Amino acid sequence: MVDVADNFIVIHNKFVVIHNSAAFAIDNLFRLAIAFAVSSRLRGLGAAMRNAMIAMGFATLAALAVPAHADVHIGVLMPTSGFAAGFGIEEQGSIDLFMKEYSDLGPAGKLKLTIYDTRGEPAQAISLTKKLIDGDKVTAIIGPYLSGESEAAFPVANRAATPIVTPSSAKPGIAAANRPWAFRFSSTTDKTDKEFIAHWLKKQAAPIKNVVVFYDGKDAVSSSDGKAVMPAALKAANVNVLDSISFQTGDLDFSAQVTRAKALKPDGVVVTALFTEAGHLVAELRKQGMNQPVAAGVELSLDHKFIEIAGKASEGVLTAAEFNRDNPKPAVVQFVKDYEASTHHLPGNSSALMYDTLFLMRHCIMSTGVTGNSDADKVKIRDCWANMNGVEAPIAGPVMINKDGDGVRQPNFLVVRDGKFVVDN
C-alpha cells in the first residue's frame, strides 16, 4: 500500500478515492487522469498552483465515484376494469396518497410503479406478471388482488425468482404453495372464519343451530370459503349446514336460490361472495321475508359498495375485516382524513391493505440497501418479507409474516348500522 495523497490510496495497482469516509474504486480512465495530475508536467508549476489543480481533480473524481443508484422499479397488478374494478379504484386511491408522501427512497432514488389492469382475470394476471418480469424488469410485484388471480400469477413469479406480494387475497394455501418468493400481507380465511363465526353466534338474541350457506362458485376465495372453510368453522361451533347453495360471479337474480333456502327455514344465513353479488343476494333475502341474521365472509371487503347495492337490507349484516376506519390510532385517523380528502369517499379494507403493503415494500427496499433492479436486490426483498416480525405498518400496526408467507393478524368484526359498517364489540 502506498499513500499518494490524503484523498486516495493505491491498493494492488488500483486507485481508491476516500470520500465522506467511504471508499470507491476508480477504473482505468480515472487512473490515467490521476497519473497525469501527479506527473512531471505539473512539476514546473508553482507549489500553490500545482496543489490547487490536484485538489480540484480529486474533488471531481470523488464526486464521480459516488455510485449513481437507479430508481427502484416495482410492478403493481390490480383490477381497474371489469367486475372487480371497485377494488382497483380503492387501491388506486391509496397508491396516489402513498406516492405523494413516500416515493423518495433516499440513496436508492425514487420508487417507480408500473401498474397494469388485470380485469380480475387469472389469464390476464399470468401474462402481465410475465410482462413485468421479462419486459419491465421489475424488482418485485405487488398484487394481484383476487385469490384466483394470485393462484395463477404466483407460480410465474416464483419460477422467475421475483418477489410477489398480494395485499388482499385470502384463500388458504396460495402463498405456501409458491415458496419462497410469494407472500401476502392479508390474513387467510382459515385464520379468520372460526373466530368470526364464534363472534356472530355470541351476538345473537336467539340460538343459531341451523344455517344455509350461499357461496360464489366462480370466485376462488368465495368458493373455498363457502365449500370448505366456513362449514368447518360452523361445525366446530356445533352449527348444522342445511344446504350449500352456489351462484356465479356476475349473477344479479337470486330469487331461485333464496326461494330454495327459505323453504328450509334456517336460523341464520352465511354468505361468501364479493360485494356486488352479496349485495344483490342480501336484498333478495329481505325481499322474500328472510329476516334471519346474516354473516358475510371477508370477501365482502368493499363495504360501502355492498351497502349501496343492498340498501336497507344491509342493516345488521356482520362481516370480518382487517381494517377498522374508526380506529382512534393517530396514523389511522390521518389516513382516513387524507384518503377522504383525496378521493372524496371513505377508505375501505382494500385501501388500507394496499397502503400498508406499499409501506412495507418501501421498508424492505430501504432497510436492506436495495439500489436498483438486480437479482441480488430481489433476494434482499424476498428475505425481508420472509423474516418480517413486528415491523410497524401505519394502519395495521406490528406485522408478522408466517412460514407460509401469510400475514397474521386479528380481524375486526364489523356490522352495518345506520348505513355504515361500524365495529361490533
Side-chain angles (χ1 to χ4, degrees), residues 15 48 58 76-77 103 114 121 138 170 174 178 183 231 234 302 329 333 348 355 381 401:
F15 281 85
F58 284 131
V76 179
L77 298 175
S103 64
T114 295
E121 300 171 4
V138 298
I174 300 176
N178 293 281
F183 302 90
L234 291 162
L302 205 59
K329 179 182 172 183
V333 172
Y355 193 87
I381 291 177
I401 302 296

Side-chain angles (χ1 to χ4, degrees), residues 385-405:
W385 279 95
N387 296 302
M388 195 170 292
N389 186 1
V391 178
E392 187 78 17
I395 300 166
V399 174
M400 176 186 174
I401 302 296
N402 67 16
K403 63 181 178 60
D404 293 326

Side-chain angles (χ1 to χ4, degrees), residues 265-339:
K265 299 181 179 179
D267 303 318
V269 172
V270 175
V271 178
T272 65
L274 303 177
F275 65 92
T276 301
E277 291 74 22
H280 290 297
L281 173 59
V282 169
E284 183 64 28
L285 287 170
R286 301 316 189 210
K287 180 181 177 182
Q288 291 199 31
M290 290 190 69
N291 297 313
Q292 291 93 332
V294 174
V298 298
E299 301 81 14
L300 200 65
S301 193
L302 205 59
D303 52 21
H304 63 90
K305 288 292 184 182
F306 165 74
I307 293 171
E308 287 175 16
I309 293 167
K312 291 183 179 180
S314 65
E315 287 292 313
V317 172
L318 188 75
T319 191
E322 296 192 46
F323 176 53
N324 166 26
R325 61 173 160 253
D326 295 322
N327 186 332
K329 179 182 172 183
V332 176
V333 172
Q334 190 63 49
F335 169 72
V336 172
K337 179 181 178 181
D338 292 344
Y339 189 96

Side-chain angles (χ1 to χ4, degrees), residues 83-330:
F83 72 94
F87 297 119
I89 292 170
E90 286 268 316
E91 291 186 309
Q92 187 63 59
S94 286
I95 290 171
D96 293 342
L97 195 61
F98 182 87
M99 293 298 286
K100 185 177 179 181
E101 184 172 359
Y102 290 117
S103 64
D104 186 5
L105 298 175
K110 297 290 184 181
L111 180 63
K112 301 293 185 182
L113 302 182
T114 295
I115 303 173
Y116 289 134
D117 174 20
T118 63
R119 303 196 298 264
E121 300 171 4
Q124 186 77 347
I126 290 173
S127 64
L128 292 175
T129 300
K130 292 178 180 177
K131 183 177 181 181
L132 285 170
I133 296 169
D134 299 332
D136 297 305
K137 307 295 183 183
V138 298
T139 307
I141 297 171
I142 293 176
Y145 184 89
L146 301 169
S147 290
E149 298 175 301
S150 297
E151 212 164 22
F154 275 14
V156 177
N158 196 46
R159 287 192 297 269
T162 300
I164 184 167
V165 185
T166 174
S168 50
S169 77
K171 181 181 176 181
I174 300 176
N178 293 281
R179 311 304 307 132
W181 294 93
F183 302 90
R184 60 176 131 206
F185 174 66
S186 57
S187 298
T188 55
T189 57
D190 58 335
K191 306 290 193 305
T192 302
D193 286 352
K194 187 174 181 179
E195 291 183 54
F196 171 55
I197 289 297
H199 178 86
W200 179 58
L201 296 173
K202 182 179 69 176
K203 299 296 288 188
Q204 305 311 315
I208 294 179
K209 297 296 183 182
N210 299 288
V211 301
V212 169
V213 175
F214 291 93
Y215 69 93
D216 185 335
K218 187 176 180 181
D219 176 62
V221 67
S222 300
S223 179
S224 169
D225 220 17
K227 292 192 293 185
V229 184
M230 276 292 190
L234 291 162
K235 183 179 180 180
N238 296 314
V239 176
N240 180 45
V241 177
L242 297 173
D243 198 1
S244 293
I245 303 174
S246 68
F247 51 89
Q248 297 287 307
T249 305
D251 286 353
L252 298 176
D253 183 1
F254 294 89
S255 56
Q257 288 96 331
V258 172
T259 298
R260 174 175 157 184
K262 184 178 180 180
L264 298 172
K265 299 181 179 179
D267 303 318
V269 172
V270 175
V271 178
T272 65
L274 303 177
F275 65 92
T276 301
E277 291 74 22
H280 290 297
L281 173 59
V282 169
E284 183 64 28
L285 287 170
R286 301 316 189 210
K287 180 181 177 182
Q288 291 199 31
M290 290 190 69
N291 297 313
Q292 291 93 332
V294 174
V298 298
E299 301 81 14
L300 200 65
S301 193
L302 205 59
D303 52 21
H304 63 90
K305 288 292 184 182
F306 165 74
I307 293 171
E308 287 175 16
I309 293 167
K312 291 183 179 180
S314 65
E315 287 292 313
V317 172
L318 188 75
T319 191
E322 296 192 46
F323 176 53
N324 166 26
R325 61 173 160 253
D326 295 322
N327 186 332
K329 179 182 172 183

